[in-house]
Amino acid sequence: MPYKILTLNSKANLFIDQPGSNYWNDESEEKDKVFNVIAHGFDKIEKSPKYLDLLDSIKLLFKKYKIDIKGSSILSIAAGSCWMECQWLKDSNFEDLTCLDFSKHRIHKLAPFTIEHYDLPGEISLLHGSVFELDLSETKKYDIIFMSQAFHHFDEPIRLLKNMKQFLTDDGCIVI
């Protein structure tokens, strides 16, 4: 197994009872989504203009700002099925990748399936929980913190940015 699967702590289950949070953990709500690669295979997402355009934008952003992935420790917040991370990082020499998502089935079911399919190299950890649950005393610093298509879902964007900054190395960058 090229990855570790973890749940941050028992608090992760408390978020399920919050208004609107059931959606993120209800597999039946997402059965027809393009990123459900177990149900649809990879052809649908690999041919999706939306996701291909987003992937191109991400690659251009990293190139434009000369963000070096080689040897980097990366945290991806709201990583979902990790399809974007697999596409973006498949030909790079990153040090390690930590993918965090609030949806247990996305990060513990879809993400391993995706990572195995694309044979993403490197040390990978898959975390179920909230970015607000990460313990600074136990969490290392990251060179790159990445978030795609998720910032607008956070009720506390300032708190989110402050948390992200705490997990960042001195010369690291946050890419949203």
Side-chain angles (χ1 to χ4, degrees):
M1 180 177 1
Y3 48 85
K4 295 182 276 186
I5 297 177
L6 307 162
T7 295
L8 289 175
N9 61 38
S10 61
K11 285 194 245 175
N13 294 324
L14 296 175
F15 290 96
I16 295 171
D17 296 329
Q18 293 181 352
S21 64
N22 287 336
Y23 168 82
W24 304 108
N25 285 290
D26 184 350
E27 288 184 66
S28 66
E29 289 283 333
E30 299 187 329
K31 64 183 178 193
D32 295 326
K33 301 272 177 145
V34 70
F35 58 77
N36 188 341
V37 293
I38 292 175
H40 306 293
F42 291 91
D43 196 47
K44 194 172 182 180
I45 196 166
E46 287 174 351
K47 292 182 178 177
S48 166
K50 173 186 173 182
Y51 288 100
L52 291 174
D53 287 347
L54 180 58
L55 179 60
D56 286 343
S57 294
I58 290 166
K59 288 179 178 180
L60 285 171
L61 182 84
F62 275 79
K63 185 177 180 177
K64 178 179 179 178
Y65 291 99
K66 297 178 175 89
I67 301 170
D68 189 11
I69 297 168
K70 186 178 181 181
S72 293
S73 181
I74 303 167
L75 171 63
S76 180
I77 298 172
S81 69
C82 296
W83 183 83
M84 193 62 63
E85 290 78 2
C86 285
Q87 296 302 305
W88 166 50
L89 297 170
K90 67 182 175 185
D91 297 321
S92 65
N93 281 329
F94 64 93
E95 178 73 24
D96 58 80
L97 171 64
T98 300
C99 295
L100 171 69
D101 201 274
F102 180 74
S103 170
K104 191 169 188 173
H105 71 274
R106 287 184 188 184
I107 201 67
H108 285 183
K109 188 175 178 182
L110 296 175
F113 190 77
T114 303
I115 290 165
E116 287 176 11
H117 176 78
Y118 291 108
D119 196 25
L120 188 65
E123 183 181 325
I124 303 168
S125 297
L126 303 174
L127 300 177
H128 167 244
S130 167
V131 67
F132 301 124
E133 293 176 297
L134 289 175
D135 184 352
L136 287 174
S137 65
E138 297 176 10
T139 305
K140 64 184 211 154
K141 301 283 185 169
Y142 297 93
D143 303 305
I144 299 169
I145 299 178
F146 175 74
M147 178 186 284
S148 174
Q149 301 188 99
F151 188 78
H152 63 283
H153 290 293
F154 284 84
D155 292 336
E156 300 177 82
I158 301 301
R159 181 178 173 209
L160 171 64
L161 291 170
K162 286 179 180 179
N163 271 35
M164 293 168 94
K165 187 171 187 228
Q166 290 177 325
F167 301 124
L168 198 61
T169 59
D170 290 338
D171 59 345
C173 68
I174 297 172
V175 178
I176 299 175

